[in-house]
Amino acid sequence: VGDGNHSLATAQAHWKRVRKGLTPEERENHPARYALVEIENLHCDGIVFEPIHRIMYDAPDFADHLTARVGGEGRATLILGGAKARLSVPSDPAEAYAAVQSAIDGYLQGHPDASVDYIHGAGDLEQLCAERHGTGVLMPALSKDGFFAFVAKKGALPRKSFSMGEAYEKRYYLETAEL
């Protein structure tokens, strides 16, 4: 599942609850057993991979931790409060996500007061870093060209590697939840 994995997981959890009270015959054709999915051509111009950035809170030495563990010929941007610095990452954006996420996970294990959040939109990340004194990582966009090669070689992409569309396009999730 490229996007919509939360919706699919919710549908699966709903089915698991519903089926407990059903006979095997009732389970066979119950509508909650099925999920509606849409299959898209990954290379369609309408499918846009937007990066999902990272921000660390209560992590004063995270920048040092990250730069000591991540490197390469690629580029990401490290944001400390309001200041920006270049962060060397692997040149393959999927590898960059894997390296940065691994460094975050390692840091969190040794720093229980620290936390991470995943942010859509560079402007929002910069604003949060400035307002809340976070350490942000402005991630590179994931390439469609290397998508299947990475998955075939390494398996699933690291969590929160991309979003299909900008954050403002996802506002309907909140608006429809209020109906």
Side-chain angles (χ1 to χ4, degrees):
V1 174
D3 199 20
N5 53 320
H6 298 296
S7 301
L8 196 55
T10 300
Q12 182 183 30
H14 175 68
W15 169 238
K16 285 181 178 179
R17 280 193 305 272
V18 167
R19 73 179 184 190
K20 287 181 183 176
L22 301 175
T23 67
E25 295 79 24
E26 291 171 323
R27 288 182 189 177
E28 189 67 30
N29 292 311
H30 195 282
R33 180 180 178 190
Y34 303 96
L36 179 65
V37 297
E38 181 178 1
I39 298 174
E40 299 282 340
N41 181 342
L42 178 70
H43 296 287
C44 173
D45 291 339
I47 304 294
V48 179
F49 284 3
E50 297 292 342
I52 300 179
H53 312 295
R54 277 81 169 120
I55 186 169
M56 295 290 291
Y57 296 111
D58 299 315
D61 60 342
F62 176 69
D64 294 333
H65 173 89
L66 183 64
T67 56
R69 286 162 179 77
V70 177
E73 300 299 316
R75 181 176 179 209
T77 302
L78 190 59
I79 304 174
L80 303 162
K84 295 180 183 177
R86 179 189 166 132
L87 175 65
S88 295
V89 296
S91 57
D92 177 351
E95 296 284 349
Y97 276 91
V100 169
Q101 191 60 53
S102 177
I104 289 171
D105 293 344
Y107 186 87
L108 290 172
Q109 285 180 353
H111 299 83
D113 293 336
S115 63
V116 63
D117 200 358
Y118 301 91
I119 307 299
H120 299 263
D124 292 330
L125 178 71
E126 291 175 29
Q127 182 179 353
L128 287 167
C129 286
E131 290 175 357
R132 297 190 51 202
H133 308 290
T135 302
V137 183
L138 196 60
M139 298 298 296
L142 191 65
S143 168
K144 291 180 183 182
D145 295 333
F147 185 83
F148 289 116
F150 181 90
V151 172
K153 182 178 173 184
K154 304 260 182 159
L157 290 163
R159 68 185 167 281
K160 305 287 188 180
S161 292
F162 69 95
S163 176
M164 291 204 259
E166 291 284 354
Y168 69 87
E169 297 168 338
K170 304 202 181 270
R171 58 183 264 222
Y172 70 89
Y173 289 130
L174 298 174
E175 291 173 357
T176 57
E178 294 176 2
L179 295 176

